[in-house]
Amino acid sequence: MSGPEGAARRVLTQAPTDLVVDRLAAELARLYGITRTELYQVDYRLAELLPLGDGDPIGGPGHPAWRAFDHQEPLVAGDVGWFPVGMRGERRGVLRVAPVPADPVARREVGAIATALGHELSAVSASTDVYLTARRSRRLTLAAEMQWDLLPGRSRNHPSFNLAGQLEPAYAVRGDSFDWSDDGHRLWLAVLNGFGEGVAAALLTSLATYALRNARRAGLGLADQAALADQAVYEQHRGAQHLSVLLTELDLATGVLTAVDAGSPRLLRLRDGRVDEQVLDKQFPLGMFEGTDYQEQRFQLAPGDRLFVVSDGVIDAAADQVRYGEVALDRFLRRTGPMEPLDAVRSLIGDLRAFVAGDLVDDAVVVCLDWLGPQP
């Protein structure tokens, strides 16, 4: 790629890992006369946009930065431009530039460069703590550090599906988690509801997640994936510890959803404004007994279907001994129809926080999957 955009991309790939944004800022000044460049990353709670350098967090939902983040479109306010930073649906934050170029072509190039920055940050984050540290407004517990490092991401876009998930309490989550992967033909999704406290719960969830990944990557079917993970957990803990898991596999050509319910979180479907719980055959949690034989179920999805997977920490969230409950959950899920999956997940978690007037006490995991239909 030639021209200004190509020059900026080369700077991104050649910069030292800790200086990616600094080198990009210097190049934007040279190419477009931009004198102020700053990266704002969304925090673990999806509640604040935190600056990489000096500056104040942005928490208000009406701020131009949040509008750019929410709608994933560049937004100009005065001489300041806000450009989404992300990769394949994984929203990392926004890039603030000023003065924003007046030329529409230059603005489009800056938008493409902001997207390239998202790819580069994903590439370098495994080798530096600079960007991960700047994403947190408080210290993570050790268990939460383990859980967030285990995740495949927080959102994902594909021509056939959109997907997002969130853990709460974000800075102190223990045993709840999720995992996903796709190969262009199938999407695998696992939602785990771990038992226990602190690091012990995180270790149990990590063991199950890696066992499921190992089985999946070996090409095993869904029931055999569950059986292998069940065996791994049982051999380690001999039934003293176990965890609930929902395993699903979506055929991207047909919309057939295969599921294995190992004492799992709930699976809810939003179709045409109506929420229904998908009835699953409850089977033993992973690691409870030796040699459990798991069975698969299949369901046909229709294009436009939205699936939610929620752990018991969502329904059982309580304030003044009053549970959030199924009625409140059903009512809120119906209102998420027009939202993107990440916005739906964030809104539900926000509603739970408002209900309990603070952070959740028990772990909660929410995953939202939109089936868009088969694509060429």
Side-chain angles (χ1 to χ4, degrees), residues 35-356:
T35 58
R36 299 187 303 279
T37 298
E38 186 156 21
L39 172 67
Y40 285 79
Q41 298 181 102
V42 69
D43 86 315
Y44 287 84
R45 295 175 78 236
L46 290 170
E48 294 182 287
L49 290 168
L50 303 176
L52 180 62
D54 297 331
D56 296 326
I58 301 173
H63 194 282
W66 274 111
R67 301 209 308 269
F69 179 86
D70 289 337
H71 299 291
Q72 288 297 284
E73 293 288 344
L75 192 145
V76 176
D79 70 340
V80 177
W82 300 92
F83 295 86
V85 175
M87 181 193 68
R88 292 185 173 88
E90 177 71 12
R91 303 187 202 175
R92 298 192 68 99
V94 291
L95 189 69
R96 179 190 186 275
V97 302
V100 64
D103 179 22
V105 174
R107 287 188 184 182
R108 286 195 295 271
E109 290 173 350
V110 173
I113 293 167
T115 300
L117 172 61
H119 285 256
E120 193 60 29
L121 292 176
S122 179
V124 304
S125 289
S127 58
T128 178
D129 290 336
V130 168
Y131 309 104
L132 291 175
T133 301
R135 285 180 51 203
R136 52 192 72 182
S137 60
R138 68 184 81 159
R139 182 177 177 179
L140 291 171
T141 65
L142 175 56
E145 190 86 52
M146 296 167 64
Q147 293 296 70
W148 282 105
D149 278 354
L150 191 64
L151 296 184
R154 193 151 49 182
S155 53
R156 169 88 166 88
N157 287 349
H158 183 278
S160 294
F161 65 85
N162 290 330
L163 181 62
Q166 175 67 3
L167 308 179
E168 281 293 318
Y171 288 89
V173 67
R174 298 173 292 273
D176 285 8
S177 187
F178 56 84
D179 192 34
W180 61 55
S181 179
D182 74 273
D183 65 358
H185 304 284
R186 293 163 295 178
L187 166 67
W188 293 273
L189 169 64
V191 181
L192 302 91
N193 187 1
F195 298 111
E197 298 293 332
V199 172
L203 287 171
L204 179 64
T205 298
S206 297
L207 172 61
T209 300
Y210 282 116
L212 290 169
R213 288 175 179 174
N214 178 255
R216 184 185 73 223
R217 293 165 183 170
L220 300 184
L222 216 58
D224 290 335
Q225 293 176 31
L228 188 147
D230 171 68
Q231 180 181 358
V233 175
Y234 185 83
E235 287 183 355
Q236 187 68 27
H237 299 288
R238 312 305 296 179
Q241 293 190 49
H242 49 82
L243 76 168
S244 299
V245 178
L246 174 64
L247 296 177
T248 65
E249 178 184 309
L250 177 60
D251 188 316
L252 300 182
T254 65
V256 172
L257 183 76
T258 304
V260 172
D261 178 356
S264 75
R266 300 192 185 193
L267 177 62
L268 304 166
R269 186 193 67 200
L270 175 61
R271 176 184 287 176
D272 298 328
R274 176 177 172 176
V275 176
D276 295 297
E277 181 170 0
Q278 185 65 64
V279 179
L280 299 171
D281 295 334
K282 300 295 184 183
Q283 302 176 72
F284 290 127
L286 301 185
M288 180 174 281
F289 300 108
E290 185 175 13
T292 301
D293 183 24
Y294 291 95
Q295 304 298 318
E296 300 176 355
Q297 294 175 264
R298 288 177 174 80
F299 311 96
Q300 180 66 56
L301 298 185
D305 278 355
R306 166 167 285 183
L307 300 179
F308 282 96
V309 186
V310 298
S311 66
D312 53 11
V314 174
I315 296 173
D316 293 338
D320 297 327
Q321 298 183 338
V322 177
R323 293 170 68 247
Y324 187 76
E326 298 175 1
V327 174
L329 178 62
D330 185 291
R331 182 172 60 248
F332 191 87
L333 295 186
R334 289 200 303 270
R335 301 209 310 260
T336 69
M339 302 178 186
E340 291 294 316
L342 184 63
D343 300 323
V345 166
R346 192 176 84 200
S347 296
L348 175 56
I349 293 295
D351 196 56
L352 286 171
R353 289 198 202 109
F355 179 78
V356 303

